[in-house]
Amino acid sequence: MKITLLRRSCKESARLITARFDRQLPLADRIALRLHLFACKACPGFERQVRLMDQAMGRWRS
Ligand SMILES: [Zn+2]
């Protein structure tokens, strides 16, 4: 698999970060997101915020 296939923009990554809490992402998306979070300076902070917010809202989703 070429690395370019796994490249995501910050906008796409933000969408994946949000979607991940609602549904299971395909493996390629999860790998791509992990790679992006590793390479990007801004998105890990957003990911942490979303996770904290998700925890704060509790388990009402399920
Ligand atoms: Zn990013």
Side-chain angles (χ1 to χ4, degrees):
M1 197 182 287
K2 282 185 180 163
I3 200 77
T4 49
L5 287 176
L6 294 172
R7 194 168 290 163
R8 295 290 184 276
S9 69
C10 287
K11 195 179 171 187
E12 288 168 324
S13 295
R15 190 174 56 77
L16 290 177
I17 287 167
T18 311
R20 194 171 58 168
F21 289 97
D22 291 327
R23 58 188 168 87
Q24 180 86 351
L25 296 177
L27 183 62
D29 277 344
R30 279 184 286 158
I31 293 171
L33 181 58
R34 186 171 284 265
L35 283 175
H36 183 88
L37 287 173
F38 186 72
C40 185
K41 288 206 192 310
C43 289
F46 175 71
E47 197 265 345
R48 201 163 55 94
Q49 263 187 329
V50 171
R51 192 173 41 202
L52 285 174
M53 209 156 62
D54 191 70
Q55 284 168 359
M57 287 197 293
R59 306 238 170 252
W60 58 272
R61 268 190 240 250
S62 60

